[in-house]
């Protein structure tokens, strides 16, 4: 019998994307379909979503969803089977999904995402016509209240799964919002939504969910420690029997160098030399001159998580070692300024595009020699997986999903042709410089570099295995007796 799952999130590719969360949420339905699981995705009715939804039907009308009028619309957009929370007062706005056009978080984010969670729990309890999910699957803090509303709801709760994509975003709000959440008073305890005297959305979801997957095995270990758990390590450790490290997959149709329409030239492992045309195209976009050394790229949020402050301080050294850099990203204002200044200092060697450009990100993976990912922590990371599939060799910090997916080019791995990239320990200028230097040296040995590229391209990072693991997890929860909190 088909298992029906309601997946709840604040973004989904190709409709709304600020990072890897969207890629994963957008890919999960196709990843689970071969396992007889039908995933319907609940997302907010942002303008881009409403515009993409052509034919929709009303599944439910709210006069008062935490004080706002709203509808649940069923339909298809961007190839995804959706339920859209159409609540114009919350979601019909210019700007991004979380912030206004100046980049400031919306002040009512607590209400916007509490409403999303409440709607999800209502659907799981049978509120929407034609839609009776067996299980609810929430992603990150924006969807986490779904599990809490289910737990404190009146009807018998269906099981809930709460995937942590990034524990660094806790969704923490002052205690004053609690009375407005329409939860019973007993929910404002350590067993419920209370967190350090306020309300923690992610904490609430982690406390209530029946299973807690996170997006790589190493990160599942790391978040039990204070350094990575960001204050939630105690709860994670207490609930470790509910914790699962399930590595993200990638969409191998969208990310396929043999058919990617964003490339100047398509190629595969047998025609790697064709990448040269893509490299020329990247050089043109970034106004770079040709060179003998490797062309490094960065495609990233420009934040401390991603170690971009360390890289910003090393651009001169990278150029002095014979490397060139093409950077696409946006984020912290000081980092944007620092990278722009580096491009001015090194015309022809360093090119910087501040902004978000999906098509250009594909071209860069298809043309640059290597991608630099010096993250301080990285729950999974997708850009190294795209890099591996495109023969764009990752140079990355040994943390989280980066450690789980890249085989470091140490001497043995190089000799055994097992290596796929460069990993370094610790995120300091010295550590990163050492890794960049190693990459530049190996780049000088044509055969060794080709072997790195080919080995990475051979690896299977599709959703095949992880889709199966999620399907097995759902089955286990549905067979388990009524959930017992631990
Ligand atoms: P995170 O979700 O922490 O930002 P991931 O590596 O999981 O990191 O996912 C980032 C996703 O966003 C990838 O699909 C990457 O290609 C994309 N991305 C990041 N920055 C940009 C940008 N400036 N332009 C286009 N795509 C970007
Ligand atoms: C988060 C993490 C990233 C992960 C992505 C998708 O944004 O920072 O490491 O790949 O979610 O799970």
């Amino acid at each position: 019998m088909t298992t029906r799952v309601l997946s709840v999130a604040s973004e989904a590719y190709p409709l709304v994307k600020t990072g890897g969360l969207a890629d994963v949420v957008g890919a999960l339905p196709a990843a689970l379909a071969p396992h007889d699981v039908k995933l319907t995705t609940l997302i907010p009715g942002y303008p881009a979503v409403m515009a993409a939804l052509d034919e929709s039907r009303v599944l439910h009308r709210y006069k008062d969803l935490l004080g706002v009028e709203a509808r649940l619309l069923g339909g298809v957009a961007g190839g995804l089977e959706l339920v859209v929370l159409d609540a114009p007062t919350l979601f019909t706005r210019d700007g991004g999904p979380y912030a206004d056009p100046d980049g400031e978080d919306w002040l009512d984010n607590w209400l916007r995402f509490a409403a999303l969670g409440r709607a999800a729990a209502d659907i799981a309890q049978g509120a929407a016509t034609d839609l009776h999910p067996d299980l609810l699957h929430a992603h990150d803090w924006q969807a986490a209240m779904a599990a809490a509303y289910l737990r404190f709801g009146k009807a018998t709760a269906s099981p809930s799964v709460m995937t942590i994509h990034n524990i660094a975003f806790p969704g923490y709000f002052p205690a004053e919002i609690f009375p407005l959440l329409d939860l019973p008073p007993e929910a404002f305890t350590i067993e419920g939504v209370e967190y350090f005297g306020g309300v923690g959305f992610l904490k609430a979801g982690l406390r209530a969910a029946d299973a807690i997957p996170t997006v790589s095995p190493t990160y599942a270990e790391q978040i039990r420690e204070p350094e990575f758990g960001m204050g939630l390590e105690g709860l994670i450790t207490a609930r470790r029997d509910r914790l699962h490290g399930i590595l993200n997959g990638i969409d191998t149709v969208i990310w396929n160098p043999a058919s990617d329409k964003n490339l100047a030239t398509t190629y595969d492992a047998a025609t790697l030399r064709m990448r040269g045309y893509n490299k020329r195209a990247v050089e043109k976009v970034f106004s770079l001159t040709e060179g003998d050394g490797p062309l490094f790229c960065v495609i990233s949020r420009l934040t401390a998580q991603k170690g971009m402050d360390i890289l910003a301080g090393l651009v001169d050294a990278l150029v002095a070692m014979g490397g060139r850099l093409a950077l696409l990203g946006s984020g912290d204002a000081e980092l944007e300024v620092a990278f722009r200044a580096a491009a001015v200092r090194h015309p022809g060697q360093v090119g910087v595009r501040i902004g978000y450009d999906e098509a250009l990100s594909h071209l860069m993976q298809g043309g640059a020699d290597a991608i630099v990912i010096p993250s301080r922590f990285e729950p999974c990371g997708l850009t190294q997986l795209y890099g591996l599939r495109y023969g764009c060799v990752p140079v990355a910090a040994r943390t989280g999903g980066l450690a789980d997916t890249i085989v470091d080019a140490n001497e043995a791995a190089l000799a055994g042709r097992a290596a796929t990239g460069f990993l370094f320990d610790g995120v300091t200028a010295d550590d990163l410089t050492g890794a960049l230097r190693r990459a530049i040296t190996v780049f000088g040995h044509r055969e060794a570099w080709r072997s790195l590229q080919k080995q990475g391209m051979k690896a299977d990072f599709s959703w095949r295995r992880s889709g199966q693991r999620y399907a097995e997890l759902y089955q286990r929860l549905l067979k388990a007796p009524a959930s017992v909190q631990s």
Side-chain angles (χ1 to χ4, degrees):
M1 220 178 56
T2 304
T3 303
R4 291 157 307 175
V5 175
L6 182 71
S7 170
V8 192
S10 54
E11 46 185 278
Y13 181 86
L15 300 167
V16 214
K17 170 169 168 178
T18 69
L21 170 66
D23 287 358
V24 173
V25 171
L28 272 181
L32 270 303
H35 305 283
D36 207 13
V37 177
K38 183 174 182 325
L39 240 97
T40 306
T41 310
L42 169 66
I43 52 170
Y46 309 113
V49 174
M50 298 306 288
L53 199 66
D54 2 294
E55 279 180 32
S56 63
R57 50 190 209 290
V58 179
L59 304 179
H60 186 70
R61 284 177 200 280
Y62 286 100
K63 281 220 175 56
D64 179 3
L65 173 66
L66 304 183
V68 300
E69 259 187 64
R71 297 184 305 170
L72 294 174
L73 304 177
V76 175
L80 299 170
E81 191 93 32
L82 296 180
V83 182
V84 173
L85 176 58
D86 176 28
T89 52
L90 300 181
F91 300 118
T92 308
R93 303 173 181 184
D94 293 338
Y98 317 121
D100 67 18
D102 295 330
E104 297 293 327
D105 280 356
W106 299 110
L107 288 175
D108 59 351
N109 272 347
W110 67 271
L111 177 59
R112 301 169 79 227
F113 296 111
L116 181 70
R118 180 58 183 260
D122 289 344
I123 296 169
Q125 291 174 331
T129 320
D130 301 344
L131 200 79
H132 299 283
D134 304 305
L135 191 141
L136 187 148
H137 186 167
H139 303 269
D140 271 358
W141 77 265
Q142 298 92 339
M145 286 300 282
Y149 278 116
L150 254 193
R151 165 137 181 246
F152 291 100
K154 291 184 187 73
T156 324
S158 36
S160 58
V161 174
M162 169 81 241
T163 294
I164 305 172
H165 295 266
N166 198 335
I167 209 165
F169 297 103
Y172 180 67
F173 300 101
E176 287 69 44
I177 70 157
F178 180 74
L180 307 171
L181 293 175
D182 193 22
L183 281 164
E186 67 268 24
F188 195 64
T189 61
I190 194 158
E191 295 302 311
V193 305
E194 191 271 334
Y195 182 58
F196 291 114
V199 176
F201 278 28
L202 181 60
K203 182 266 167 166
L206 296 178
R207 184 62 254 172
D210 296 291
I212 308 175
T214 187
V215 291
S216 71
T218 294
Y219 195 60
E221 293 294 324
Q222 289 176 320
I223 55 176
R224 297 186 198 186
E225 305 298 330
E227 187 187 348
F228 296 99
M230 311 276 168
L232 287 164
E233 59 279 1
L235 176 56
I236 295 289
T237 304
R239 305 208 71 210
R240 61 189 172 280
D241 54 331
R242 310 287 178 142
L243 189 66
H244 306 264
I246 306 182
L247 195 68
N248 286 332
I250 60 172
D251 187 320
T252 51
V253 176
I254 294 170
W255 291 94
N256 182 358
S259 57
D260 193 330
K261 300 243 172 352
N262 301 299
L263 300 182
T265 313
T266 55
Y267 61 92
D268 59 24
T271 55
L272 267 176
R273 292 181 55 207
M274 303 298 284
R275 288 183 98 256
Y277 292 102
N278 296 320
K279 190 167 176 176
R280 295 292 96 79
V282 174
E283 285 165 350
K284 200 160 163 223
V285 171
F286 286 91
S287 307
L288 300 175
T289 45
E290 287 183 30
D292 296 334
L295 173 57
F296 292 96
C297 78
V298 168
I299 303 160
S300 183
R301 292 187 283 119
L302 302 181
T303 64
Q305 174 192 338
K306 302 291 180 181
M308 285 296 139
D309 47 328
I310 309 278
L311 182 63
L314 279 183
V315 178
D316 298 351
L318 185 148
V319 172
M321 288 189 281
R324 288 168 301 146
L325 178 68
L327 177 141
L328 168 64
S330 62
D332 296 354
E334 321 82 89
L335 289 171
E336 295 185 359
V337 169
F339 282 114
R340 278 204 170 106
V344 172
R345 283 201 305 280
H346 301 286
Q349 312 298 306
V350 176
V352 169
R353 276 280 179 110
I354 299 299
Y356 196 93
D357 188 334
E358 192 75 27
L360 180 57
S361 76
H362 284 244
L363 179 65
M364 292 166 76
Q365 296 276 17
D369 296 303
I371 180 160
V372 188
I373 315 171
S375 306
R376 289 194 167 80
F377 63 94
E378 196 60 76
C380 177
L382 296 177
T383 56
Q384 85 279 16
L385 302 182
Y386 301 144
L388 290 166
R389 185 151 165 84
Y390 277 61
C392 183
V393 175
V395 180
R398 195 193 306 273
T399 187
L402 298 169
D404 290 339
T405 54
I406 298 167
V407 181
D408 178 53
N410 57 39
E411 264 177 46
L414 266 181
R417 295 185 171 269
T420 60
F422 299 87
L423 287 171
F424 58 95
D425 291 295
V427 184
T428 66
D430 282 351
D431 302 319
L432 177 54
T433 308
L436 292 169
R437 187 174 294 121
R438 280 205 291 146
I440 291 169
T441 305
V442 177
F443 185 77
H445 300 279
R446 226 68 244 85
E447 274 313 298
W449 192 264
R450 278 273 182 269
S451 160
L452 278 182
Q453 289 179 298
K454 288 191 173 171
Q455 200 56 35
M457 291 177 85
K458 259 196 237 160
D460 177 6
F461 290 112
S462 72
W463 274 102
R464 200 173 45 81
R465 262 172 301 193
S466 299
Q468 180 163 359
R469 287 205 54 201
Y470 268 115
E472 285 165 3
L473 178 64
Y474 295 157
Q475 290 314 324
R476 233 178 301 141
L477 292 174
L478 288 169
K479 281 200 199 104
S483 100
V484 180
Q485 291 294 315
S486 65

